[in-house]
Amino acid sequence: MSEKDTISIQLVREALLQSCAPGAATDEVLSKVGIDPALLDDSQARVPAHAYARLWRLLARRLDDEFFGMDPRKLKSGSLAFLCQCAMAQPTLASGLTAGLGFLSLMFEQLPAQWVRQQSLAEIVLLEDDQEPRRAFTYFTYWMIVHGVACWLAGRRIPILSIELRCPEPDFCDDYRVMFSRNLRFDRPRTRMIFSAECLDLPIRRSTEELNRFLAQAPANILVKYRDPQSLASRIRHDLRQLPPEQWPETEALAQQLCVSASTLRRRLAEEGQTYQGLKDSVRKELAINWLAEPSISFVEIAARLGFADASSFYKAFRKWSGSNPGHYRSLILNDPG
């Protein structure tokens, strides 16, 4: 499929699980939104994001539920619009999140939530009961709504440092890592999303006209573009992960490995909106976040693993990447209740 904005057929299956009876009813719904029902049997298939968005809207109309029937209370049609109206009336993203999460907590029976500021970090926490955890698709659909609306309110993408979930890791996670963060942790004591607290101070300046445009395109506009695994940037990221940072090639050496000139390498990465330095930084950040979740690995060792001269250099880089120092991030990520 040449369409890059695609969604795995596995997410289509998840959307249908509680919202549509299998068999003829499923075939009829998929055909209406332009998805071949035969694709359900191909686990590698992908469908256009706009077709998935049409499926979401069609099921929402039929069920009068914008959450695929995954909570005992329906998220009735029009809830996303009301959520946005409540939040956009606030002056900052912090108060907008308070209003939006408060509304969703009233609507849902099983997914109350709140945001908490922890110095330079912030987290949105689901205040679940002690029942069995929900399936991963339920949690990620909730995050898709909350994060998508938050990004629209702020007028920029809000980078997610980490998402923790109470449920076991599902068989399929690729799209979730693209949509949210590569740092997903499962079987955790609570479900939460962690991001830089500086985003909370962003002003909200949205008009009624902008709201109408946003809603006219929703939910397709909150589905993040699929990253082509065959892209040059994806291949370079993959290769970097296989080597310790001190063995990462310089630009000229990398270009030679790829049988292109350095200028061609830079141009091709620029066409994908990337730079080699940016790719190296993103992999270093990914590795750092993973290692900070392991208390047995010291900051000095992490700095050495990442190729920094000393722990101080690592501290400065991590603060630049995440808005937080690594000590505070580790403290938050390891501070599990109970």
Side-chain angles (χ1 to χ4, degrees):
M1 180 182 293
S2 61
E3 172 74 66
K4 286 189 177 181
D5 293 347
T6 61
I7 296 294
S8 169
I9 195 68
Q10 310 228 27
L11 300 192
V12 174
R13 290 178 187 162
E14 291 280 354
L16 295 168
L17 192 60
Q18 289 178 239
S19 58
C20 190
T26 289
D27 292 351
E28 185 254 343
V29 163
L30 293 179
S31 298
K32 271 186 175 294
V33 299
I35 297 175
D36 183 354
L39 293 178
L40 291 175
D41 298 322
D42 179 3
S43 62
Q44 302 303 312
R46 303 192 67 84
V47 302
H50 60 77
Y52 185 81
R54 286 200 298 266
L55 174 65
W56 192 333
R57 298 180 78 150
L58 175 59
L59 292 174
R61 288 196 303 270
R62 291 194 172 190
L63 297 172
D64 191 22
D65 187 348
E66 296 180 343
F67 200 62
F68 299 117
M70 294 187 296
D71 188 85
R73 294 178 187 161
K74 292 183 177 183
L75 189 65
K76 289 180 174 290
S77 295
S79 293
L80 177 62
F82 191 78
L83 167 64
C84 293
Q85 289 170 345
C86 291
M88 66 182 281
Q90 304 301 315
T92 66
L93 186 60
S95 52
L97 279 175
T98 298
L101 294 175
F103 169 71
L104 289 177
S105 296
L106 286 172
M107 296 299 292
F108 288 130
E109 179 179 313
Q110 297 179 341
L111 295 169
Q114 67 180 23
W115 69 264
V116 181
R117 191 171 198 147
Q118 303 274 15
Q119 299 178 38
S120 59
L121 294 172
E123 57 180 356
I124 299 174
V125 186
L126 293 182
L127 308 173
E128 299 179 87
D129 52 34
D130 293 329
Q131 295 180 7
E132 287 295 308
R134 284 73 192 168
R135 57 193 172 109
F137 180 75
T138 301
Y139 292 129
F140 283 120
T141 302
Y142 183 93
W143 294 132
M144 190 181 301
I145 294 171
V146 170
H147 185 246
V149 170
C151 292
W152 174 74
L153 290 170
R156 51 171 275 194
R157 179 162 179 81
I158 297 170
I160 298 170
L161 296 177
S162 175
I163 289 182
E164 298 185 346
L165 304 104
R166 291 177 61 225
C167 63
E169 181 172 350
D171 293 335
F172 179 80
C173 271
D174 290 355
D175 279 31
Y176 297 143
R177 290 191 171 94
V178 171
M179 291 175 180
F180 301 103
S181 167
R182 292 198 62 83
N183 190 31
L184 307 178
R185 304 175 71 211
F186 297 89
D187 292 309
R188 306 306 298 165
R190 54 186 165 181
T191 297
R192 58 179 176 169
M193 174 190 292
I194 301 173
F195 55 97
S196 174
E198 65 182 14
C199 297
L200 294 171
D201 299 322
L202 293 171
I204 295 175
R205 299 190 183 95
R206 288 298 188 182
S207 66
T208 302
E209 292 75 17
E210 288 172 316
L211 172 61
N212 291 336
R213 285 196 299 270
F214 176 73
L215 294 174
Q217 298 169 7
N221 50 0
I222 59 176
L223 296 171
V224 178
K225 288 184 178 180
Y226 168 59
R227 295 174 192 163
D228 183 359
Q230 302 306 313
S231 71
L232 179 60
S234 294
R235 287 162 50 202
I236 292 173
R237 276 197 190 92
H238 175 270
D239 291 345
L240 292 177
R241 292 188 192 104
Q242 312 312 306
L243 296 170
E246 65 267 18
Q247 294 182 20
W248 289 354
E250 297 298 326
T251 303
E252 294 287 344
L254 176 62
Q256 190 173 14
Q257 291 174 18
L258 296 172
C259 301
V260 298
S261 67
S263 60
T264 298
L265 172 61
R266 294 188 187 96
R267 176 179 56 78
R268 289 178 58 187
L269 284 175
E271 288 171 353
E272 296 180 10
Q274 303 287 348
T275 66
Y276 184 41
Q277 184 60 52
L279 294 177
K280 290 190 290 186
D281 286 345
S282 70
V283 175
R284 278 197 176 97
K285 174 185 174 183
E286 175 189 326
L287 293 172
I289 285 176
N290 287 336
W291 290 332
L292 286 170
E294 301 296 332
S296 61
I297 307 176
S298 70
F299 297 136
V300 172
E301 184 178 352
I302 293 175
R305 288 187 183 187
L306 294 175
F308 290 103
D310 50 41
S312 176
S313 300
F314 166 54
Y315 264 63
K316 291 177 183 176
F318 191 81
R319 179 172 284 280
K320 178 182 176 183
W321 297 333
S322 68
S324 170
N325 69 61
H328 180 49
Y329 180 82
R330 169 169 278 179
S331 169
L332 178 62
I333 208 73
L334 297 178
N335 183 26
D336 290 331

